[in-house]
Amino acid sequence: MEEKKDIKSMTLEEISADFRELGLPRFRAGQVFRWLSRGAEGFSQMSDLSKELREQLSEHYAVRGVEIVRKQVSQIDGTIKYLFRLFDGEHVEAVLMRYHYGISICISTQVGCKMNCSFCATGKSGFSRNLSAGEILSQVQSGSIDIGERVSHIVLMGMGEPLDNYENVLRFLELATCKEGMNLSMRAISLSTCGLADRIYDLADRKLQLTLSVSLHAPNDEIRSRTMPVNRKWPIGELLKACRYYARTTGRRISFEYAMIAGVNDSDGCARELAQRLKGILAHVNLIPVNDVTGTGYKKSGIRRQRRFVEVLQEHGVTATVRRTLGADIEASCGQLRRKHEGGTGHEGCA
Ligand code: SAH
């Protein structure tokens, strides 16, 4: 039997074209697309379609979303961490946070990751596969259905490297912002990358109003190559060239993530070097005290070191803030739940 098509990853135009071939009227495509955009888990829920049509569609298409298998709610700030199961038994995580401007969800783009940053829990469990656009989208819908509220902001900063799953991530962006569908604003979506420079150029040329975050975490190649293997392929000079191009082409400010690791990248000298490197780029630095990950031996920088680092950056004309930690009591950082669930050691994580 021919494999069923993944209809959740299809655009309205693609569904319409398919349905035309099946001899179905155009409005049917709109109906089905709206159901999918609202998070329907299967055709059986699409109550305004006849039983025959639902059966016909389920012969051709699969609705592949995500299923909540575990949920932790922070007693401190209400942050929710989800563990989702995918159709093939794989797991990914997402974290939903409440801010004054709305509800934001941090979602995964891959099961595991190939990038192997030395401080990150996700890379330690290896890489299984890319998520489909529908699976990425479904994390947002599941969170929203679970809390009964609209999610206004999306952060592609969970498990995986979004630009290593470029096609599906772009498709996800198209689906998430589709007027007839979820209708999210591109400005309310952030994509975080460890720095695949070639893809940053590609993304820039699309001229999306997306917010780009770059995980820099070091001011020079010596430190960065030690902590982030991707730097051996795309050194800082190349990466920042791509960032300059991105900022120039899109007019959008880039946010640089910088996890402060005691004694590794948090000296005054590092701050000065960082400021030097970022000169002339429309940028903001987000400092994050590194999260403990078992086996790395890294410790977060103390509060005084964090403040001093911000001061030095500001003295050199770079704006920076220390990111507030949410969900501290539920280890609201990626990589931990999946590892625990699949037999890892547990206490580890990222931002
Ligand atoms: N692959 C993408 C997005 C996923 S990682 C990227 O690299 O940007 C999300 C963010 O968490 C990245 O900035 C990553 O560097 C950071 N991170 C990973 N482990 C961390 C840790 N232990 N402490 C603080 N930040 C961490």
Side-chain angles (χ1 to χ4, degrees):
M1 214 187 87
E2 101 187 65
E3 215 189 306
K4 291 183 186 178
K5 270 178 138 173
D6 168 21
I7 197 168
K8 242 190 121 81
S9 297
M10 290 169 69
T11 62
L12 175 57
E13 291 68 35
E14 288 166 343
I15 298 177
S16 303
D18 258 37
F19 279 19
R20 206 175 312 128
E21 273 185 28
L22 292 172
L24 298 169
R26 189 185 151 83
F27 76 94
R28 290 289 183 210
Q31 267 177 321
V32 169
F33 186 74
R34 273 191 299 279
W35 276 109
L36 295 171
S37 303
R38 276 183 267 139
E41 287 161 16
F43 294 106
S44 57
Q45 285 175 9
M46 304 185 185
S47 51
D48 52 1
L49 308 184
S50 71
K51 192 154 171 281
E52 291 71 37
L53 180 55
R54 281 184 263 156
E55 275 166 14
Q56 184 190 357
L57 292 176
S58 47
E59 276 165 28
H60 287 89
Y61 303 100
V63 181
R64 286 192 185 138
V66 301
E67 182 196 344
I68 301 175
V69 287
R70 191 163 155 200
K71 176 180 165 183
Q72 285 173 278
V73 184
S74 163
Q75 299 303 304
I76 305 171
D77 51 47
T79 295
I80 305 176
K81 178 157 178 160
Y82 296 103
L83 180 70
F84 296 116
R85 182 166 42 228
L86 312 177
F87 78 96
D88 57 357
E90 295 281 7
H91 293 91
V92 292
E93 303 171 9
V95 178
L96 185 142
M97 292 151 289
R98 287 174 189 278
Y99 290 99
H100 62 275
Y101 53 76
I103 294 175
S104 171
I105 191 163
C106 172
I107 55 177
S108 298
T109 53
Q110 296 180 315
V111 183
C113 188
K114 296 182 208 155
M115 301 298 140
N116 246 319
C117 301
S118 64
F119 42 79
C120 178
T122 300
K124 310 240 175 292
S125 336
F127 172 81
S128 293
R129 69 168 174 89
N130 282 327
L131 295 194
S132 66
E135 287 170 329
I136 303 173
L137 197 68
S138 189
Q139 298 168 61
V140 183
Q141 297 165 344
S142 286
S144 172
I145 291 170
D146 179 57
I147 60 165
E149 288 175 74
R150 180 181 149 85
V151 169
S152 54
H153 289 69
I154 300 178
V155 196
L156 298 174
M157 216 193 233
M159 299 167 69
E161 167 50 45
L163 297 186
D164 186 40
N165 183 14
Y166 189 74
E167 299 301 329
N168 292 350
V169 165
L170 276 191
R171 182 173 273 276
F172 154 78
L173 293 173
E174 188 178 345
L175 291 172
T177 56
C178 174
K179 294 254 173 321
E180 291 87 356
M182 288 175 77
N183 196 18
L184 276 146
S185 153
M186 194 64 92
R187 286 181 168 262
I189 306 180
S190 306
L191 183 152
S192 179
T193 178
C194 65
L196 302 181
D198 52 346
R199 289 308 196 185
I200 294 178
Y201 285 106
D202 293 343
L203 197 63
D205 290 336
R206 300 246 166 188
K207 295 202 169 60
L208 305 174
Q209 285 302 295
L210 181 78
T211 300
L212 184 68
S213 286
V214 173
S215 301
L216 201 55
H217 303 322
N220 58 49
D221 287 327
E222 192 263 310
I223 302 177
R224 197 163 193 266
S225 291
R226 240 191 303 140
T227 49
M228 302 180 71
V230 66
N231 196 68
R232 294 176 208 150
K233 180 152 189 213
W234 300 111
I236 295 191
E238 291 286 321
L239 172 57
L240 293 181
K241 215 163 111 192
C243 291
R244 282 198 182 84
Y245 181 80
Y246 187 92
R248 216 175 34 242
T249 313
T250 63
R252 304 280 292 159
R253 188 173 79 162
I254 295 182
S255 122
F256 288 96
E257 308 296 312
Y258 197 98
M260 293 186 69
I261 314 174
V264 174
N265 64 359
D266 66 344
S267 65
D268 283 9
C270 282
R272 278 193 295 270
E273 209 177 341
L274 181 63
Q276 199 61 36
R277 293 220 89 137
L278 295 182
K279 228 184 210 135
I281 307 182
L282 196 55
H284 178 88
V285 174
N286 248 325
L287 295 166
I288 318 140
V290 78
N291 260 295
D292 283 354
V293 173
T294 315
T296 63
Y298 293 145
K299 289 272 165 280
K300 55 174 66 104
S301 313
I303 191 87
R304 268 200 273 161
R305 187 85 304 267
Q306 294 172 26
R307 287 202 191 120
R308 178 70 194 138
F309 204 87
V310 172
E311 245 173 51
V312 176
L313 286 177
Q314 279 167 351
E315 278 165 16
H316 289 80
V318 172
T319 65
T321 41
V322 178
R323 194 198 281 164
R324 191 161 62 107
T325 309
L326 289 176
D329 56 333
I330 55 166
E331 304 167 297
S333 36
C334 66
Q336 304 173 88
L337 263 187
R338 173 171 173 253
R339 261 186 106 183
K340 219 178 256 177
H341 198 78
E342 295 177 353
T345 52
H347 196 80
E348 57 239 356
C350 65

Short mmCIF file of all heavy atoms in Angstrom, two decimals, residues 113 115 117 119-121 156-162 192-195 213-215 217 228 257 259 288-293 323 334 349-351, ligand 1:
data_model
loop_
_atom_site.label_atom_id
_atom_site.label_comp_id
_atom_site.label_asym_id
_atom_site.label_seq_id
_atom_site.Cartn_x
_atom_site.Cartn_y
_atom_site.Cartn_z
N CYS A 113 19.93 16.19 18.59
CA CYS A 113 20.65 17.25 17.87
C CYS A 113 22.01 16.71 17.46
O CYS A 113 22.59 15.88 18.15
CB CYS A 113 20.82 18.46 18.80
SG CYS A 113 21.49 19.92 17.99
N MET A 115 24.63 18.81 16.87
CA MET A 115 25.63 19.87 17.03
C MET A 115 26.60 19.66 18.18
O MET A 115 27.70 20.18 18.17
CB MET A 115 24.93 21.23 17.17
CG MET A 115 24.06 21.58 15.99
SD MET A 115 25.05 21.69 14.48
CE MET A 115 23.97 20.90 13.27
N CYS A 117 27.09 20.71 21.36
CA CYS A 117 27.69 21.75 22.19
C CYS A 117 28.01 21.13 23.55
O CYS A 117 27.21 20.35 24.08
CB CYS A 117 26.71 22.92 22.36
SG CYS A 117 26.22 23.66 20.79
N PHE A 119 28.01 22.10 26.56
CA PHE A 119 27.24 22.44 27.75
C PHE A 119 25.78 21.98 27.65
O PHE A 119 25.01 22.15 28.58
CB PHE A 119 27.25 23.97 27.96
CG PHE A 119 27.08 24.71 26.66
CD1 PHE A 119 25.82 24.86 26.11
CD2 PHE A 119 28.18 25.23 25.99
CE1 PHE A 119 25.65 25.51 24.90
CE2 PHE A 119 28.02 25.89 24.77
CZ PHE A 119 26.75 26.02 24.22
N CYS A 120 25.39 21.41 26.52
CA CYS A 120 23.97 21.17 26.25
C CYS A 120 23.56 19.72 26.47
O CYS A 120 24.26 18.80 26.05
CB CYS A 120 23.65 21.60 24.82
SG CYS A 120 21.93 21.32 24.36
N ALA A 121 22.40 19.54 27.12
CA ALA A 121 21.91 18.20 27.43
C ALA A 121 21.39 17.48 26.18
O ALA A 121 21.57 16.27 26.04
CB ALA A 121 20.78 18.28 28.46
N LEU A 156 11.75 29.02 18.66
CA LEU A 156 12.33 27.76 18.18
C LEU A 156 13.68 27.60 18.88
O LEU A 156 14.73 27.90 18.32
CB LEU A 156 12.50 27.77 16.66
CG LEU A 156 11.19 27.91 15.87
CD1 LEU A 156 11.47 28.06 14.39
CD2 LEU A 156 10.28 26.71 16.10
N MET A 157 13.59 27.19 20.14
CA MET A 157 14.78 27.15 20.98
C MET A 157 14.74 25.93 21.89
O MET A 157 15.38 25.89 22.93
CB MET A 157 14.82 28.42 21.83
CG MET A 157 16.20 28.95 22.05
SD MET A 157 16.19 30.20 23.33
CE MET A 157 17.00 31.54 22.51
N GLY A 158 13.93 24.94 21.50
CA GLY A 158 13.89 23.70 22.26
C GLY A 158 14.96 22.75 21.75
O GLY A 158 16.06 23.18 21.41
N MET A 159 14.61 21.47 21.67
CA MET A 159 15.61 20.51 21.22
C MET A 159 15.85 20.66 19.72
O MET A 159 14.93 20.87 18.95
CB MET A 159 15.10 19.10 21.51
CG MET A 159 14.87 18.87 22.99
SD MET A 159 13.94 17.39 23.30
CE MET A 159 15.14 16.19 22.82
N GLY A 160 17.12 20.51 19.34
CA GLY A 160 17.44 20.49 17.92
C GLY A 160 17.98 21.80 17.39
O GLY A 160 17.92 22.83 18.06
N GLU A 161 18.53 21.75 16.18
CA GLU A 161 19.06 22.93 15.51
C GLU A 161 18.12 23.25 14.34
O GLU A 161 18.11 22.54 13.33
CB GLU A 161 20.49 22.64 15.03
CG GLU A 161 21.07 23.64 14.05
CD GLU A 161 20.93 25.10 14.49
OE1 GLU A 161 21.21 25.41 15.66
OE2 GLU A 161 20.52 25.92 13.67
N PRO A 162 17.32 24.33 14.48
CA PRO A 162 16.31 24.62 13.46
C PRO A 162 16.88 24.73 12.04
O PRO A 162 16.25 24.28 11.09
CB PRO A 162 15.72 25.96 13.89
CG PRO A 162 16.14 26.17 15.29
CD PRO A 162 17.28 25.27 15.60
N SER A 192 16.30 30.29 17.00
CA SER A 192 17.63 30.31 17.60
C SER A 192 18.54 29.31 16.90
O SER A 192 18.17 28.16 16.69
CB SER A 192 17.50 29.96 19.09
OG SER A 192 18.77 29.96 19.70
N THR A 193 19.72 29.76 16.53
CA THR A 193 20.66 28.87 15.83
C THR A 193 22.03 28.90 16.48
O THR A 193 22.46 29.92 17.03
CB THR A 193 20.78 29.25 14.35
OG1 THR A 193 21.74 28.38 13.73
CG2 THR A 193 21.23 30.69 14.15
N CYS A 194 22.73 27.77 16.37
CA CYS A 194 24.10 27.71 16.88
C CYS A 194 25.06 28.32 15.87
O CYS A 194 26.25 28.41 16.13
CB CYS A 194 24.48 26.27 17.19
SG CYS A 194 24.53 25.24 15.72
N GLY A 195 24.53 28.71 14.69
CA GLY A 195 25.38 29.46 13.76
C GLY A 195 25.73 28.78 12.46
O GLY A 195 26.89 28.78 12.04
N SER A 213 17.93 34.64 16.77
CA SER A 213 18.82 34.57 17.93
C SER A 213 20.02 33.72 17.53
O SER A 213 19.84 32.66 16.93
CB SER A 213 18.16 33.82 19.09
OG SER A 213 17.19 34.59 19.68
N VAL A 214 21.18 34.19 17.87
CA VAL A 214 22.38 33.41 17.56
C VAL A 214 23.06 33.01 18.86
O VAL A 214 23.35 33.86 19.70
CB VAL A 214 23.32 34.22 16.65
CG1 VAL A 214 24.64 33.50 16.44
CG2 VAL A 214 22.66 34.50 15.31
N SER A 215 23.28 31.72 19.03
CA SER A 215 23.92 31.22 20.24
C SER A 215 25.42 31.39 20.07
O SER A 215 26.07 30.58 19.43
CB SER A 215 23.58 29.75 20.45
OG SER A 215 22.19 29.62 20.55
N HIS A 217 27.94 32.48 22.75
CA HIS A 217 28.53 31.82 23.93
C HIS A 217 30.05 31.93 24.08
O HIS A 217 30.61 31.32 25.00
CB HIS A 217 28.17 30.33 23.99
CG HIS A 217 26.69 30.05 24.01
ND1 HIS A 217 25.79 30.82 24.69
CD2 HIS A 217 25.96 29.07 23.42
CE1 HIS A 217 24.56 30.33 24.52
NE2 HIS A 217 24.64 29.27 23.75
N MET A 228 31.70 24.65 21.26
CA MET A 228 30.71 24.44 20.19
C MET A 228 31.40 23.94 18.92
O MET A 228 31.95 24.74 18.15
CB MET A 228 29.96 25.76 19.91
CG MET A 228 29.25 26.32 21.13
SD MET A 228 28.38 27.86 20.79
CE MET A 228 27.02 27.31 19.77
N GLU A 257 22.83 35.05 22.10
CA GLU A 257 22.73 34.33 23.37
C GLU A 257 24.14 34.08 23.88
O GLU A 257 25.05 33.71 23.11
CB GLU A 257 22.02 32.98 23.16
CG GLU A 257 20.69 33.08 22.45
CD GLU A 257 19.66 33.86 23.24
OE1 GLU A 257 19.51 33.60 24.44
OE2 GLU A 257 19.02 34.75 22.65
N ALA A 259 25.71 32.07 27.17
CA ALA A 259 25.60 31.33 28.44
C ALA A 259 26.88 31.53 29.22
O ALA A 259 27.97 31.19 28.75
CB ALA A 259 25.38 29.84 28.16
N ILE A 288 22.83 34.38 29.86
CA ILE A 288 22.11 33.32 30.57
C ILE A 288 23.13 32.61 31.45
O ILE A 288 24.13 32.09 30.94
CB ILE A 288 21.57 32.25 29.59
CG1 ILE A 288 20.97 32.88 28.35
CG2 ILE A 288 20.61 31.29 30.28
CD1 ILE A 288 21.29 32.13 27.08
N PRO A 289 22.92 32.61 32.79
CA PRO A 289 23.84 31.82 33.61
C PRO A 289 23.70 30.35 33.19
O PRO A 289 22.58 29.84 33.13
CB PRO A 289 23.30 32.02 35.04
CG PRO A 289 22.25 33.08 34.95
CD PRO A 289 21.84 33.25 33.54
N VAL A 290 24.79 29.70 32.83
CA VAL A 290 24.71 28.34 32.27
C VAL A 290 24.00 27.40 33.25
O VAL A 290 24.15 27.51 34.46
CB VAL A 290 26.12 27.79 31.91
CG1 VAL A 290 26.89 27.32 33.14
CG2 VAL A 290 26.02 26.68 30.88
N ASN A 291 23.20 26.52 32.72
CA ASN A 291 22.50 25.53 33.54
C ASN A 291 23.41 24.32 33.76
O ASN A 291 24.11 23.90 32.86
CB ASN A 291 21.27 25.03 32.79
CG ASN A 291 20.03 25.71 33.28
OD1 ASN A 291 19.63 25.55 34.43
ND2 ASN A 291 19.43 26.48 32.40
N ASP A 292 23.31 23.77 34.96
CA ASP A 292 24.11 22.58 35.25
C ASP A 292 23.67 21.42 34.38
O ASP A 292 22.49 21.12 34.29
CB ASP A 292 23.89 22.14 36.71
CG ASP A 292 24.65 23.03 37.66
OD1 ASP A 292 25.42 23.89 37.16
OD2 ASP A 292 24.47 22.88 38.88
N VAL A 293 24.60 20.78 33.75
CA VAL A 293 24.32 19.56 32.99
C VAL A 293 25.29 18.51 33.52
O VAL A 293 26.50 18.74 33.54
CB VAL A 293 24.53 19.78 31.48
CG1 VAL A 293 24.40 18.47 30.72
CG2 VAL A 293 23.54 20.80 30.94
N ARG A 323 19.10 37.18 31.33
CA ARG A 323 17.76 36.61 31.15
C ARG A 323 17.21 36.08 32.47
O ARG A 323 17.90 35.39 33.22
CB ARG A 323 17.79 35.50 30.12
CG ARG A 323 16.38 35.15 29.67
CD ARG A 323 16.33 33.82 29.02
NE ARG A 323 16.79 33.87 27.64
CZ ARG A 323 17.13 32.79 26.95
NH1 ARG A 323 17.12 31.61 27.53
NH2 ARG A 323 17.52 32.90 25.71
N CYS A 334 15.64 22.43 27.97
CA CYS A 334 15.42 21.29 27.08
C CYS A 334 16.42 20.16 27.28
O CYS A 334 17.51 20.36 27.79
CB CYS A 334 15.43 21.76 25.64
SG CYS A 334 17.03 22.36 25.12
N GLY A 349 20.28 20.30 31.56
CA GLY A 349 19.39 21.12 30.75
C GLY A 349 20.03 22.35 30.17
O GLY A 349 21.22 22.56 30.34
N CYS A 350 19.21 23.13 29.49
CA CYS A 350 19.76 24.33 28.88
C CYS A 350 19.05 25.56 29.41
O CYS A 350 18.74 25.65 30.58
CB CYS A 350 19.71 24.23 27.37
SG CYS A 350 18.04 24.18 26.73
N ALA A 351 18.77 26.50 28.50
CA ALA A 351 18.30 27.81 28.94
C ALA A 351 17.07 27.74 29.79
O ALA A 351 16.01 27.61 29.46
CB ALA A 351 18.07 28.70 27.73
N1 SAH B 1 20.17 24.71 18.34
C1 SAH B 1 19.66 26.01 18.60
C2 SAH B 1 18.43 26.04 19.47
C3 SAH B 1 18.33 25.07 20.62
S1 SAH B 1 19.32 25.31 22.04
C4 SAH B 1 20.75 26.88 19.19
O1 SAH B 1 21.85 26.40 19.40
O2 SAH B 1 20.52 28.07 19.36
C5 SAH B 1 18.57 26.66 22.87
C6 SAH B 1 19.54 27.58 23.58
O3 SAH B 1 19.93 27.02 24.85
C7 SAH B 1 20.82 27.84 22.83
O4 SAH B 1 21.18 29.20 22.97
C8 SAH B 1 21.79 26.95 23.56
O5 SAH B 1 23.11 27.31 23.32
C9 SAH B 1 21.33 27.13 24.98
N2 SAH B 1 21.82 26.15 25.92
C10 SAH B 1 22.04 24.83 25.75
N3 SAH B 1 22.49 24.26 26.88
C11 SAH B 1 22.57 25.22 27.82
C12 SAH B 1 22.94 25.25 29.19
N4 SAH B 1 23.37 24.17 29.83
N5 SAH B 1 22.86 26.44 29.85
C13 SAH B 1 22.43 27.56 29.22
N6 SAH B 1 22.06 27.59 27.92
C14 SAH B 1 22.13 26.44 27.21
#
